[in-house]
Amino acid sequence: MVSPVEGAAVLAEVVRGDLVESVHLGHLVVLDAAGTPVLTVGDPDVVIYPRSSLKPVQALAALRHGFAPTDESLLALATASHNGEPFHLDGVRAILAAAGLGIEALQNTPDLPLYAPAALAWHQAGHGPEPLAQNCSGKHAAMLAACVAAGWDTVTYLDPSHPLQTAIAAAVAELTGDRAAPHVTVDGCGAPLMSTSLRGLARAFARLASADDGTPEARVARAMSAHPEMVAGTGRDATLAMRAVPGLVCKDGAEGVYAGALSGGPAFAFKVLDGAGRPRPAILAAVLRAAGALDVVGADPDALEELARVPVLGHGRSVGSVRVPFGRAPRQTPPGVEGTTAA
């Protein structure tokens, strides 16, 4: 098995005072609208588990097979790693109720809400870890709704051989364009998880963002960009980024994964090798600039600048920052050369 450390390069440096205190290695690719790499760091074809960055593709498969959300915000929720705020939980209940199901049908891992104020309120209301509160409950509710619509068993919906999961696997292969058979395991929420190449993950988001209006792919992308609060929630970088750049669709994943695309197709994906979440907002802001986000009509450069600021604290005040060494502009690919590697 090839180690992802091979070919990895620096994605971010943590600076405290006048020293680089820590370094985050990883892999990154930015594709233009034609699918050609315009920026690479490390190996763009490294094989990774995309984790929750794959949720938009899973939601697409559910939509294709009968999931019929009554509101596009609920479609966005199907792609979410949500905060567990009240409007998220109400949305999950609504998806299930429309399918004639209750929350007991959910088989995702019990957990508390991600958002601290929501977790406190949940606890004060007498709740502990429950599937409803876990950040993947929107995805699982959409999976169950698709099963009901298609006449598939809802008890075994997490089995890799279930018709819904085989449909998801087919959608992943279709959108990523990856030809190698994926590694298959179990995600943190209990759903089957397939590996992708980093480039393939970026291609999948490009397919969503560049799809023709009215297609299921376009519906997923438009729902996410129109309802970013449903995809993540208060204070989350995915929500802030989609609010800052009209038409952007992006999704974080556990263990340092991120992927997204601008309207029309420029796309990106990256993986922080140590799995840390700390450098992700700074890397995301730099990647969005490299992909051309500042050229999007209505983009908010100040919001992107704020996203890029990840302070390093000493005694409660900023004494440093997370710095992204591949800079503020894309490194252009020379003619005839497929991508440029930044060290």
Side-chain angles (χ1 to χ4, degrees), residues 29-342:
V29 63
V30 179
L31 307 176
D32 66 15
T36 302
V38 295
L39 172 67
T40 65
V41 179
D43 181 3
D45 294 310
V46 64
V47 176
I48 64 164
Y49 284 123
R51 302 300 298 271
S52 285
S53 290
L54 201 59
K55 283 177 177 173
V57 182
Q58 293 168 314
L60 171 65
L63 193 64
R64 286 174 170 178
H65 290 276
F67 171 44
T70 56
D71 185 274
E72 293 301 276
S73 67
L74 299 181
L75 177 54
L77 183 60
T79 74
S81 298
H82 62 71
N83 270 349
E85 295 174 75
F87 60 89
H88 295 126
L89 305 190
D90 288 344
V92 174
R93 293 186 185 100
I95 292 172
L96 292 169
L101 300 171
I103 59 173
E104 67 279 357
L106 294 168
Q107 294 184 31
N108 53 301
T109 308
D111 204 349
L112 298 172
L114 288 179
Y115 186 50
L120 177 60
W122 182 256
H123 178 72
Q124 289 175 333
H127 297 287
E130 296 181 20
L132 175 64
Q134 197 253 357
N135 73 89
C136 301
S137 61
K139 175 181 81 173
H140 282 253
M143 287 180 174
L144 285 162
C147 290
V148 170
W152 296 331
D153 183 50
T154 57
V155 175
T156 59
Y157 77 97
L158 295 183
D159 190 311
S161 63
H162 189 281
L164 175 67
Q165 300 303 335
T166 59
I168 289 172
V172 172
E174 173 194 345
L175 266 68
T176 63
D178 288 341
R179 296 183 178 180
H183 302 266
V184 181
T185 186
V186 180
D187 211 339
C189 67
L193 174 67
M194 288 142 284
S195 66
T196 69
S197 70
L198 198 67
R199 190 195 304 255
L201 183 59
R203 280 195 298 252
F205 274 76
R207 287 283 301 276
L208 295 173
S210 62
D212 292 336
D213 288 341
T215 61
E217 294 87 344
R219 281 191 64 191
V220 171
R222 308 301 188 269
M224 292 176 70
S225 62
H227 301 281
E229 72 287 349
M230 300 301 282
V231 178
T234 303
R236 296 273 296 282
D237 44 46
T239 295
L240 297 173
M242 286 189 280
R243 285 176 175 166
V245 184
L248 169 66
V249 52
C250 67
K251 184 70 189 68
D252 52 340
E255 298 297 328
V257 179
Y258 231 111
L262 300 175
S263 179
F268 66 88
F270 66 82
K271 161 72 176 175
V272 181
L273 271 190
D274 60 8
R278 172 176 59 177
R280 290 191 325 189
I283 298 169
L284 175 61
V287 166
L288 287 172
R289 287 190 293 262
L294 292 178
D295 297 327
V296 174
V297 175
D300 185 344
D302 293 336
L304 285 181
E305 285 295 323
E306 185 62 30
L307 186 67
R309 294 191 186 99
V310 181
V312 173
L313 301 180
H315 202 221
R317 65 183 182 87
S318 179
V319 296
S321 64
V322 174
R323 183 172 67 192
V324 178
F326 54 86
R328 292 179 169 273
R331 297 182 61 173
Q332 297 298 321
T333 304
V337 177
E338 187 183 312
T340 303
T341 299

